[in-house]
Amino acid sequence: MGQTVGFIGVGIMGGRMAKNVLKAGYAVQAHNRTIAKAEALRPQGATVAASPREAASGADFVVTMVADPSALAAVLEGADGAFAGCKAGTLVIDMSTVDPATSQTMAGKARGLGLSYLEAPVMGGPGGAEQGTVTIMAGGSDEDFEKAKPLLGAIGKKILHIGPMGQGSVMKLTANLVSACIVTAMAEGLVLAAKSGLDPALVVEVLAERAPIIGRAGPKVLAGDFSANFPLKLSHKDVQLALAAARSAGVPVFSLAAVAQLQVAALAKGFGEQDQAATVQVLEEIAGVKARRR
Amino acid sequence: MGQTVGFIGVGIMGGRMAKNVLKAGYAVQAHNRTIAKAEALRPQGATVAASPREAASGADFVVTMVADPSALAAVLEGADGAFAGCKAGTLVIDMSTVDPATSQTMAGKARGLGLSYLEAPVMGGPGGAEQGTVTIMAGGSDEDFEKAKPLLGAIGKKILHIGPMGQGSVMKLTANLVSACIVTAMAEGLVLAAKSGLDPALVVEVLAERAPIIGRAGPKVLAGDFSANFPLKLSHKDVQLALAAARSAGVPVFSLAAVAQLQVAALAKGFGEQDQAATVQVLEEIAGVKARRR
Amino acid sequence: MGQTVGFIGVGIMGGRMAKNVLKAGYAVQAHNRTIAKAEALRPQGATVAASPREAASGADFVVTMVADPSALAAVLEGADGAFAGCKAGTLVIDMSTVDPATSQTMAGKARGLGLSYLEAPVMGGPGGAEQGTVTIMAGGSDEDFEKAKPLLGAIGKKILHIGPMGQGSVMKLTANLVSACIVTAMAEGLVLAAKSGLDPALVVEVLAERAPIIGRAGPKVLAGDFSANFPLKLSHKDVQLALAAARSAGVPVFSLAAVAQLQVAALAKGFGEQDQAATVQVLEEIAGVKARRR
Amino acid sequence: MGQTVGFIGVGIMGGRMAKNVLKAGYAVQAHNRTIAKAEALRPQGATVAASPREAASGADFVVTMVADPSALAAVLEGADGAFAGCKAGTLVIDMSTVDPATSQTMAGKARGLGLSYLEAPVMGGPGGAEQGTVTIMAGGSDEDFEKAKPLLGAIGKKILHIGPMGQGSVMKLTANLVSACIVTAMAEGLVLAAKSGLDPALVVEVLAERAPIIGRAGPKVLAGDFSANFPLKLSHKDVQLALAAARSAGVPVFSLAAVAQLQVAALAKGFGEQDQAATVQVLEEIAGVKARRR
């Protein structure tokens, strides 16, 4: 193919995605704050860049996959940032989950520098990133979307153009708010059932039919394993972004607001680095029961 | 097989289930308050009973599938009730969704009359009832569960013995509370996205990956079709039973409580006979937007 | 005056009210389940009745002041109940806090026996009962209200005829739901302020200007004194009755629903016999801070 | 006394406060964005300043009373801002309601310019501002508080030093969150009672005993008068600041979160400029009843 991708942020998600980009025949210039994570991609054929600027240097595409709006600003802007390294016409594709305003601001800055910009957050978790089956929800112009499509096709399966800049982010926040609500419903139902004497394993088996995320998160709760698939603190960040988006759109979201407060309680308990399902422990503590495999 | 089943309540769910019982070779004595629904089973080989008592007469099993605890009491008790018609040792299987206390009370009365009793609520909706793929969550003794298993196997696919009497009901309420939360999350997310300018059809396509119920309910919302798959008033009945169960178990359920109030608002608007997804209309009205296919 | 009052339920509230009735010159026939509480009124001139029936015997008025609907049924109905002891035309005045349906049912039974019935719940707590300054919210006919007015005037200060039977109960539940919300708001605000480093005593001083109940409950929280002024379990009972009334009236009550769940959490922690302000301890435990006087 | 006060922001609250400062013998240099409001103070002896800078020029104290953090930054910073006009050692007293971080930021900037800074938000509304009876909740150093005390004593009655910079704001937000919860509880209770057939005027009379704010807001609801005492949009701003403060402090506030969503609904309906009690109209619309004087 002969095209070069500057890939910035090759952690749990980004690393798996970059491997699929390499497999598809792109040259990859990988950068990560913890540089060892970029080094890990060398055997697959990546070159390692010392800074976001270096990763962007000469690239046809820059892909960013970082934690939040401030991390995104940190890798795009400034003397060592990707914007500074891009040649004219490079298409910058942010695949992180940020708020619509951040996407719009960054896109404006890119445009001012003669660059193109697409937001393209993903859904599907590490498993989907590994297998190249994530869903990608892009926001930006038709032209940039068409240009990015082959590259995105190497990363995900369902590649959707949601609308103009910012709408990809709204779609992602909407998807994550629904997940947070489902996980909370599982937590409430599971603790209710456990306290009522039911076998938690049987309950998870039944509830897993309701939503795939319960099929993934439920068995881990049964095992008392709260290692993060999606960390609570990131889920809460997205829930807060969704609450803010709903507020400015003028849409009351009563159940999401309750979910957010249960997350606040779990964060206060120190569960931020654990999986978003860690909220179940707040209810378990209050109810005096544990929903574990017997 | 040569066994006879008194089947009481052959409406949207029960009628489909009774057909599968007939197909499996059981003789069926069908009764329904609106007797025409029982008549409709004659071509499949059912006989029609004029009362619950008559349906139970001489039967090996009595199956009840009615709307709520008071409807159940009405078909089981009294001079024309099924209990009065049963021969000693008949196994009465209630497949309605009721609260645990109702199951325990009815089981006690059955026992007092020399009858056996199993609660066996189902999950899967009219589609699952039609195809015989519902999940059945039984509560009662091992002996009664084993005795019922072949018959239940004609009705559903996953046949689970959840625990002693009452626990089948708790499991069902738990499953329904999770569904109500998912449908509410869909409503909040969908209206937020629509108000933010996204194409509702695209949003439903993405959210449907989150839960099968969104895949079923979402497209109907897009079409403005609120005909009931599961009526709001029945969903709310179950949510209230779940809230009551959580209260007596000592489990706070903050998000379910918010869901319940949104349902109260939708009921106040007169949407009780519509699908449980009708709550979306309350949010649409407040936000001044409709999440319909463009 | 020469009139006789059968006073049933002379506990924390009823005992103080009965003393004011005695002071006003009525003859009082006092009964209480724990009979010692009735005995305690002998020095003030009461006679002690061994049963509700005996308390009602020959009385012009029967006043009941008990814990809840089932306690009310227990003292009014049955062979030893007050109804059985009343002469024709006696006016039964229930001053307990019950739901509207209970008042209507009991009033119907009284009428069937040739008796009159007034619901007349009170607001003001033990302090108001002591000083005869409670507010009384009556439901029933104009005639019965006028007949009861002099007696009620001995017990309370503001004597209101809210409307027909049941509306006195709705008014009382409404007043109690507002109190529960205020106490919860105090709890949330106090823990937020304490966790932010403010002196809890100063916070209570400021918040007490917002509502008299904060002026009463706040200083007790500062002292770690959760002895009941109004026990959490009774507050929760009323909140549940209010939620049920709102549900059947078709009024969504989102904030009350959240308050109810925080109470469920506090009840699960075993705080039912403590004051309704005990919910603050749930938040303190989660936040890891105590809002106590320094 | 001979001291001069630069008073910036002389609207509904600030204008009344400035009059009391004039009465106490201070010279006042008044500025307001809508300059006519400053002109209105001329008869009382104020001089009118064309800019915040001019108002601060030569003053011993600068008092700011504006709408929110961005309005505060606008009057303090920049070439025409108050900071630019202050002589060394001037004590800047911000009496607006802002978040703690804003106070800390502004105080830091003042310090950097050789100025002193005190946050001193007030509670009590236009009535209290008129009569000089507001409660003042100051945050800052002991020294600055002592220096400000005589001036603050001309404006309010209860003058409290809550703690270091930022804690005055937390106290004010806490007080406002409690008010918002009380007003919401009134709304829920009032609509429930009205829908149940009670006379709304009687209900307000009873509930007014619960909290002074119900005594003020309730009669206006009965009259259908939603003119702002405290506008919903400002109440919601404070509720959002309180939610954010609770989130960072690690304190779950379930009932406040529900209150916030009801406010979002009312804002979506266009009630932002109305009184915070306007939320009652959302519930009235859903319930199909109006809580008006008959």
Side-chain angles (χ1 to χ4, degrees):
Chain A
M1 207 164 273
Q3 286 184 304
T4 298
V5 177
F7 210 113
I8 300 165
V10 289
I12 294 178
M13 289 295 292
R16 287 165 168 79
M17 289 154 64
K19 278 184 202 167
N20 287 322
V21 170
L22 283 161
K23 271 188 218 158
Y26 291 87
V28 169
Q29 303 175 168
H31 172 74
N32 203 79
R33 208 172 36 174
T34 308
I35 205 74
K37 293 185 184 171
E39 298 286 352
L41 292 170
R42 249 194 237 277
Q44 275 80 27
T47 59
V48 175
S51 68
R53 178 185 185 138
E54 198 180 308
S57 175
D60 301 288
F61 299 95
V62 168
V63 172
T64 50
M65 187 66 184
V66 296
D68 57 31
S70 70
L72 181 64
V75 300
L76 290 181
E77 303 188 278
D80 276 337
F83 283 162
C86 286
K87 63 181 181 194
T90 300
L91 176 55
V92 178
I93 307 173
D94 176 42
M95 305 190 75
S96 319
T97 297
V98 299
D99 56 303
T102 293
S103 285
Q104 286 156 354
T105 301
M106 288 303 162
K109 292 184 178 181
R111 225 174 6 251
L113 296 164
L115 308 173
S116 300
Y117 194 93
L118 194 75
E119 59 168 1
V122 304
M123 185 168 91
E130 179 87 33
Q131 296 153 43
T133 57
V134 293
T135 293
I136 298 178
M137 298 156 285
S141 74
D142 286 341
E143 194 193 333
D144 292 335
F145 179 70
E146 289 307 320
K147 198 170 153 195
K149 223 172 166 181
L151 173 56
L152 296 177
I155 293 169
K157 196 168 159 198
K158 192 178 257 190
I159 319 294
L160 300 167
H161 187 197
I162 303 296
M165 187 58 58
Q167 294 200 349
S169 295
V170 172
M171 183 69 254
K172 178 66 195 292
L173 294 176
T174 301
N176 278 10
L177 89 78
V178 169
S179 293
C181 289
I182 294 177
V183 168
T184 302
M186 176 193 77
E188 294 186 355
L190 192 48
V191 176
L192 163 57
K195 189 75 184 289
S196 304
L198 278 68
D199 177 0
L202 217 45
V203 177
V204 166
E205 185 181 340
V206 173
L207 296 185
E209 295 182 31
R210 286 295 189 240
I213 200 172
I214 298 180
R216 288 192 299 272
K220 289 183 65 181
V221 172
L222 293 177
D225 170 10
F226 291 102
S227 62
N229 192 314
F230 187 45
L232 176 61
K233 67 176 183 185
L234 291 187
S235 172
H236 187 63
K237 179 205 69 166
D238 290 355
V239 164
Q240 287 298 337
L241 293 174
L243 282 170
R247 194 158 60 240
S248 42
V251 179
V253 285
F254 293 99
S255 83
L256 184 64
V259 166
Q261 294 304 318
L262 187 62
Q263 291 188 328
V264 168
L267 290 167
K269 287 290 199 176
F271 302 150
E273 305 292 335
Q274 297 186 4
D275 191 71
Q276 60 176 335
T279 49
V280 73
Q281 297 170 96
V282 173
L283 301 180
E284 289 176 338
E285 199 277 331
I286 291 171
V289 73
K290 280 196 184 299
R292 299 291 172 274
R293 193 176 295 281
R294 290 168 182 175
Chain B
M1 207 165 271
Q3 286 184 304
T4 298
V5 177
F7 210 112
I8 301 165
V10 289
I12 294 178
M13 289 295 293
R16 287 165 167 80
M17 290 154 65
K19 278 183 203 169
N20 286 321
V21 170
L22 283 161
K23 270 189 217 159
Y26 291 87
V28 168
Q29 302 175 169
H31 173 75
N32 202 78
R33 208 173 35 174
T34 310
I35 205 74
K37 293 186 185 172
E39 298 286 352
L41 290 171
R42 248 193 238 277
Q44 273 80 27
T47 60
V48 174
S51 68
R53 177 185 187 141
E54 196 180 309
S57 173
D60 301 288
F61 299 96
V62 167
V63 172
T64 51
M65 188 64 183
V66 296
D68 57 32
S70 68
L72 182 64
V75 300
L76 290 181
E77 304 188 276
D80 275 336
F83 283 163
C86 286
K87 64 182 181 195
T90 298
L91 175 54
V92 178
I93 307 174
D94 175 43
M95 305 191 75
S96 319
T97 297
V98 298
D99 57 304
T102 294
S103 285
Q104 285 156 354
T105 303
M106 288 302 163
K109 292 184 178 180
R111 224 173 8 250
L113 296 163
L115 308 173
S116 299
Y117 194 93
L118 194 74
E119 59 169 0
V122 304
M123 184 166 90
E130 179 87 33
Q131 295 152 44
T133 58
V134 293
T135 293
I136 298 177
M137 299 155 286
S141 73
D142 286 341
E143 193 192 334
D144 292 335
F145 178 70
E146 290 307 322
K147 196 170 156 197
K149 224 173 167 180
L151 172 57
L152 296 178
I155 294 170
K157 197 168 159 198
K158 192 178 258 189
I159 318 293
L160 300 167
H161 187 198
I162 304 295
M165 187 58 60
Q167 294 200 349
S169 294
V170 172
M171 183 69 254
K172 178 66 194 294
L173 293 177
T174 301
N176 278 10
L177 88 79
V178 169
S179 292
C181 288
I182 294 176
V183 168
T184 302
M186 177 194 75
E188 294 187 353
L190 192 48
V191 176
L192 163 57
K195 189 73 185 289
S196 303
L198 278 68
D199 177 359
L202 218 44
V203 177
V204 165
E205 185 182 340
V206 173
L207 296 184
E209 295 182 31
R210 287 295 190 241
I213 198 172
I214 298 181
R216 289 192 298 271
K220 290 184 64 181
V221 172
L222 293 176
D225 170 9
F226 291 102
S227 64
N229 193 315
F230 186 46
L232 177 60
K233 67 176 184 184
L234 290 187
S235 172
H236 187 63
K237 178 206 69 167
D238 290 355
V239 164
Q240 287 298 339
L241 292 174
L243 282 170
R247 195 159 59 241
S248 44
V251 179
V253 285
F254 293 99
S255 85
L256 184 64
V259 166
Q261 293 304 317
L262 188 63
Q263 292 188 328
V264 167
L267 290 167
K269 287 290 200 175
F271 303 150
E273 305 292 335
Q274 297 186 5
D275 191 70
Q276 61 176 333
T279 49
V280 75
Q281 297 171 97
V282 174
L283 302 179
E284 289 177 337
E285 198 277 330
I286 290 172
V289 73
K290 281 197 185 297
R292 299 291 171 274
R293 193 175 295 280
R294 290 169 181 175
Chain C
M1 206 163 273
Q3 285 184 306
T4 297
V5 177
F7 209 113
I8 300 165
V10 289
I12 294 177
M13 289 296 292
R16 287 165 167 80
M17 290 154 63
K19 278 184 202 168
N20 286 321
V21 170
L22 283 161
K23 269 188 218 159
Y26 292 87
V28 169
Q29 303 176 167
H31 172 75
N32 202 78
R33 208 172 37 173
T34 309
I35 205 75
K37 293 186 183 172
E39 298 286 352
L41 290 171
R42 248 195 239 276
Q44 274 79 27
T47 59
V48 175
S51 68
R53 177 184 186 140
E54 195 180 309
S57 174
D60 300 288
F61 300 96
V62 167
V63 172
T64 50
M65 187 65 183
V66 296
D68 57 30
S70 69
L72 181 64
V75 300
L76 289 181
E77 303 188 278
D80 276 336
F83 283 162
C86 286
K87 63 183 181 193
T90 299
L91 176 55
V92 178
I93 307 173
D94 175 42
M95 305 191 76
S96 320
T97 297
V98 298
D99 56 303
T102 294
S103 285
Q104 286 156 353
T105 303
M106 287 303 162
K109 292 184 178 181
R111 224 173 6 250
L113 297 163
L115 308 173
S116 299
Y117 194 93
L118 194 75
E119 59 169 1
V122 304
M123 184 167 90
E130 179 86 36
Q131 295 152 44
T133 58
V134 292
T135 293
I136 298 177
M137 298 155 286
S141 73
D142 286 341
E143 192 192 335
D144 292 336
F145 179 70
E146 290 307 320
K147 196 169 155 196
K149 223 172 168 181
L151 171 57
L152 296 178
I155 293 171
K157 197 168 158 199
K158 192 178 259 190
I159 318 294
L160 300 167
H161 187 196
I162 303 296
M165 187 58 59
Q167 293 199 350
S169 294
V170 173
M171 184 68 254
K172 176 65 194 294
L173 293 177
T174 300
N176 277 10
L177 88 79
V178 169
S179 293
C181 288
I182 294 176
V183 167
T184 302
M186 177 193 76
E188 294 187 353
L190 192 49
V191 176
L192 162 56
K195 189 72 186 291
S196 303
L198 278 69
D199 177 359
L202 218 44
V203 177
V204 165
E205 184 181 340
V206 173
L207 296 184
E209 295 182 30
R210 286 294 189 243
I213 198 172
I214 298 181
R216 289 193 297 272
K220 290 183 64 181
V221 171
L222 293 177
D225 170 9
F226 291 102
S227 63
N229 192 314
F230 186 46
L232 177 60
K233 67 176 184 184
L234 290 187
S235 172
H236 187 62
K237 179 205 69 168
D238 290 355
V239 164
Q240 287 299 337
L241 292 175
L243 282 170
R247 195 158 59 241
S248 43
V251 180
V253 285
F254 293 98
S255 84
L256 183 64
V259 166
Q261 293 304 317
L262 188 63
Q263 292 187 328
V264 167
L267 290 167
K269 287 290 200 175
F271 302 150
E273 305 291 335
Q274 297 186 5
D275 191 71
Q276 61 176 334
T279 50
V280 75
Q281 298 170 97
V282 174
L283 301 179
E284 289 177 337
E285 198 278 329
I286 290 172
V289 73
K290 280 195 185 298
R292 299 291 173 274
R293 193 175 295 281
R294 289 170 182 175
Chain D
M1 204 163 271
Q3 284 184 306
T4 299
V5 177
F7 209 112
I8 300 164
V10 289
I12 294 178
M13 289 296 292
R16 288 167 167 79
M17 290 154 64
K19 279 184 202 168
N20 286 322
V21 170
L22 282 160
K23 269 189 218 158
Y26 291 88
V28 168
Q29 303 175 168
H31 173 74
N32 202 79
R33 209 172 36 174
T34 309
I35 204 76
K37 293 185 184 172
E39 298 286 352
L41 291 171
R42 248 193 239 277
Q44 274 81 28
T47 60
V48 174
S51 68
R53 178 184 186 140
E54 197 181 308
S57 174
D60 302 289
F61 300 95
V62 167
V63 172
T64 50
M65 187 65 183
V66 296
D68 56 32
S70 68
L72 181 64
V75 299
L76 289 181
E77 302 188 278
D80 276 337
F83 282 163
C86 287
K87 63 183 181 193
T90 299
L91 176 55
V92 177
I93 307 173
D94 175 42
M95 305 190 75
S96 319
T97 296
V98 298
D99 57 303
T102 293
S103 285
Q104 285 156 355
T105 302
M106 288 303 162
K109 292 184 178 180
R111 224 173 7 250
L113 297 163
L115 307 173
S116 299
Y117 194 95
L118 194 74
E119 58 168 2
V122 305
M123 185 167 89
E130 180 86 34
Q131 296 152 42
T133 56
V134 292
T135 293
I136 298 177
M137 300 156 284
S141 73
D142 286 342
E143 194 194 334
D144 292 335
F145 179 70
E146 289 307 322
K147 198 169 153 197
K149 224 173 167 181
L151 173 55
L152 297 177
I155 293 169
K157 196 167 159 199
K158 193 178 255 190
I159 319 294
L160 300 167
H161 187 197
I162 303 296
M165 188 57 60
Q167 294 200 349
S169 295
V170 172
M171 183 69 255
K172 177 65 194 293
L173 294 177
T174 301
N176 278 10
L177 89 78
V178 169
S179 292
C181 289
I182 294 177
V183 168
T184 302
M186 176 193 76
E188 294 186 354
L190 192 49
V191 176
L192 162 57
K195 189 74 185 290
S196 304
L198 278 68
D199 177 0
L202 217 45
V203 177
V204 166
E205 183 181 342
V206 173
L207 296 185
E209 296 181 30
R210 285 296 189 240
I213 200 172
I214 298 180
R216 288 192 299 272
K220 289 183 64 181
V221 172
L222 293 177
D225 171 9
F226 291 102
S227 63
N229 193 314
F230 186 46
L232 176 61
K233 68 176 183 185
L234 291 187
S235 172
H236 187 63
K237 180 205 69 167
D238 290 355
V239 163
Q240 287 297 339
L241 292 175
L243 282 170
R247 194 158 59 241
S248 43
V251 179
V253 285
F254 293 99
S255 83
L256 184 63
V259 166
Q261 294 304 317
L262 187 63
Q263 291 188 327
V264 167
L267 290 168
K269 287 288 199 177
F271 303 150
E273 306 292 333
Q274 297 186 4
D275 191 72
Q276 61 176 335
T279 49
V280 74
Q281 296 170 98
V282 174
L283 302 179
E284 289 176 338
E285 198 278 329
I286 291 172
V289 74
K290 280 196 185 298
R292 299 291 172 276
R293 192 176 296 282
R294 290 168 182 177

